[in-house]
Amino acid sequence: MSLPIPELAPAQHPLERLPEEWAEVLGGWGEPRYRGLQVFQWIHQRGVLDPDAMTNLPKTLRARLREEGLGLPLTVSHLHPSNDGTRKLLVRMLDGSEVETVLIPQLEKVDPDADGDSDESDEQGTATAAWVPGTVVTQCISSQVGCAMGCVFCASGVMGLKRHMTAAEIVSQVLLGRSLTTEREHLRNIVLMGMGEPLHNYDNVARALVLLTHPEGLALGKRRVTLSTSGLVPQIDRLAQDFDGQVQLAISLHAVTDERRSSIMPINRKHSLDDLMACLKRYPLPKRRRITIEYTLIRGVNDDLRDADALVKLLRGVPAKVNLIPMNPIADSALAAPREDGVTAFRERLFERGLSAFVRKTRGDDIAAACGQLAYHGDDGRRRRLPVA
Ligand code: SF4
């Protein structure tokens, strides 16, 4: 099911056009309007950008499309594969700016005894299950070059905002990602959790969401697109209205008091926890769906059991599930990862108090693909030191 289509700013690039916008353009070229849908389907449904391969279009139109230029506005400058199947792509845009996007195959459990010849076993000699990359792939995409929000635990925040990404650049990450999936993989989920605060680039992100979920395009279904935000209250309200609550929401919360949250997430000085919670309570969530609350556990900063209790209290009345993210070690950072037993105790405390919580499996550690670690090298190629909260 596609998302509702809100009023959008005009398309700036051919890859941003919706079928009806293509129909308009093609009409101006003297082509029948129905060809607009065909061009859109070639690009967004089949991932074909070479007009010569658009075999149901007349030669004259293919030549005109070649002139128009349908190339992606970005290229892969580095591809880092990880041991767990995760692939991090560093992509370079036409102005030389770089962002990262990550392909993450969902892990599937396999029983090593299934073929009867496994020699994997634990200390008791019992065969142990293994997790292997499966066929369903989630892609994490970026929405800005850098980020203006300045969260102290986040590499993008330290970099500052360089510029917004265009809708064509945002969508092109997915076109590119899909072309790099293997035959047995299916790109099913998109998460806007890469570099940037998506709601700070609202117009371009809104158009990208419409393109990615268009039934004649990639047709990503509801529940398949998750937007992660640091909590820009007016823009969450706008998203709720524009997309009727169909966009899955994830909130980077990370602290339970205004004082603490403001010290690690400056946006909290503008939109307090009370304002944010009130906004989440009015978000028009479809039935049986919940908002994901992202809570990065940082040792000695927010991982005390009293924080867990305060989190339960804060989220009362919000349809929420909590995603606990043990902070990934960042080189040169004064912030430390939580202890493993501390993470378990925190999760259990939430659970005991009736709050559903899970610990995010860390993926792609060896390529620094986890949240807040994308493109954290400076323009000079040197890592930045993160400040202490
Ligand atoms: S956590 Fe998100 S909002 Fe905060 S600085 Fe990083 S990218 Fe920006």
Side-chain angles (χ1 to χ4, degrees):
M1 187 177 149
S2 60
L3 293 175
I5 299 188
E7 209 168 295
L8 296 168
Q12 303 292 327
H13 186 282
L15 297 187
E16 294 178 358
R17 289 178 195 144
L18 293 162
E20 51 279 18
E21 292 169 329
W22 270 112
E24 200 64 37
V25 171
L26 266 50
W29 296 351
E31 297 284 346
R33 290 177 62 90
Y34 71 86
R35 297 253 182 238
L37 178 59
Q38 292 176 322
V39 174
F40 182 84
Q41 286 170 329
W42 277 112
I43 297 171
H44 294 279
Q45 193 181 79
R46 304 169 81 159
V48 172
L49 296 173
D50 175 7
D52 288 331
M54 299 179 177
T55 46
N56 61 353
L57 302 183
K59 273 190 182 161
T60 46
L61 177 54
R62 289 190 236 164
R64 187 70 181 81
L65 288 171
R66 254 197 321 278
E67 268 172 42
E68 179 81 350
L70 298 183
L72 292 180
L74 42 79
T75 51
V76 179
S77 53
H78 290 292
L79 195 162
H80 304 277
S82 175
N83 295 334
D84 62 8
T86 304
R87 281 146 280 165
K88 182 173 74 165
L89 312 173
L90 185 64
V91 294
R92 181 171 298 149
M93 290 168 286
L94 298 178
D95 66 352
S97 310
E98 288 183 326
V99 294
E100 290 181 346
T101 176
V102 189
L103 291 167
I104 311 160
Q106 202 167 294
L107 292 180
E108 283 172 7
K109 207 173 186 178
V110 291
D111 176 2
D113 262 352
D115 59 6
D117 61 0
S118 171
D119 56 7
E120 262 191 70
S121 58
D122 62 17
E123 282 162 5
Q124 282 78 42
T126 316
T128 51
W131 291 90
V132 297
T135 55
V136 175
V137 175
T138 296
Q139 185 173 6
C140 173
I141 60 175
S142 295
S143 55
Q144 295 180 310
V145 183
C147 183
M149 299 300 127
C151 306
V152 300
F153 52 85
C154 172
S156 308
V158 174
M159 191 174 164
L161 178 67
K162 307 281 181 191
R163 70 169 175 87
H164 293 314
M165 289 174 72
T166 65
E169 288 167 340
I170 296 169
V171 167
S172 292
Q173 295 171 81
V174 181
L175 294 174
L176 198 58
R178 188 174 50 170
S179 73
L180 294 172
T181 52
T182 63
E183 244 171 53
R184 62 184 286 276
E185 289 178 330
H186 305 287
L187 182 54
R188 286 271 166 76
N189 307 298
I190 299 293
V191 293
L192 285 113
M193 283 186 192
M195 189 184 280
E197 162 54 68
L199 294 182
H200 186 213
N201 183 15
Y202 190 91
D203 288 343
N204 289 315
V205 166
R207 181 171 276 276
L209 291 176
V210 170
L211 288 162
L212 292 171
T213 56
H214 198 286
E216 299 293 342
L218 191 62
L220 285 167
K222 59 177 185 176
R223 264 184 273 208
R224 299 289 184 187
V225 180
T226 302
L227 183 148
S228 172
T229 175
S230 57
L232 274 65
V233 168
Q235 287 88 338
I236 296 174
D237 283 336
R238 190 173 163 198
L239 186 80
Q241 196 182 348
D242 281 353
F243 294 102
D244 205 15
Q246 297 290 324
V247 176
Q248 194 82 12
L249 209 54
I251 303 293
S252 292
L253 190 71
H254 309 308
V256 288
T257 63
D258 280 322
E259 193 191 355
R260 181 58 56 85
R261 192 165 190 263
S262 295
S263 75
I264 57 173
M265 300 184 71
I267 188 65
N268 196 75
R269 290 179 207 139
K270 199 164 174 192
H271 305 297
S272 68
L273 282 170
D274 276 353
D275 289 349
L276 181 57
M277 292 305 126
C279 168
L280 299 185
K281 283 175 191 162
R282 61 179 176 261
Y283 193 77
L285 267 187
K287 271 191 194 133
R288 291 192 296 279
R289 289 190 36 206
R290 284 176 293 173
I291 294 168
T292 302
I293 301 297
E294 295 163 345
Y295 193 93
T296 298
L297 286 161
I298 309 171
R299 193 190 301 183
V301 174
N302 62 2
D303 64 341
D304 193 276
L305 288 184
R306 281 169 299 189
D307 294 314
D309 292 342
L311 183 57
V312 173
K313 200 169 159 205
L314 182 72
L315 292 176
R316 208 159 278 151
V318 177
K321 59 183 173 185
V322 178
N323 188 1
L324 296 171
I325 310 158
M327 184 181 157
N328 280 303
I330 299 181
D332 305 333
S333 171
L335 303 178
R339 290 162 50 102
E340 216 176 300
D341 53 354
V343 175
T344 308
F346 198 98
R347 188 190 68 80
E348 281 172 0
R349 186 64 154 246
L350 296 183
F351 196 72
E352 281 163 19
R353 302 271 192 273
L355 193 54
S356 148
F358 54 98
V359 179
R360 185 190 287 177
K361 260 191 205 315
T362 310
R363 305 289 308 279
D365 275 11
D366 51 332
I367 54 168
C371 184
Q373 296 199 346
L374 299 184
Y376 67 100
H377 292 85
D379 292 339
D380 52 5
R382 296 174 55 193
R383 288 174 180 187
R384 311 287 179 83
R385 186 179 184 80
L386 294 177
V388 190

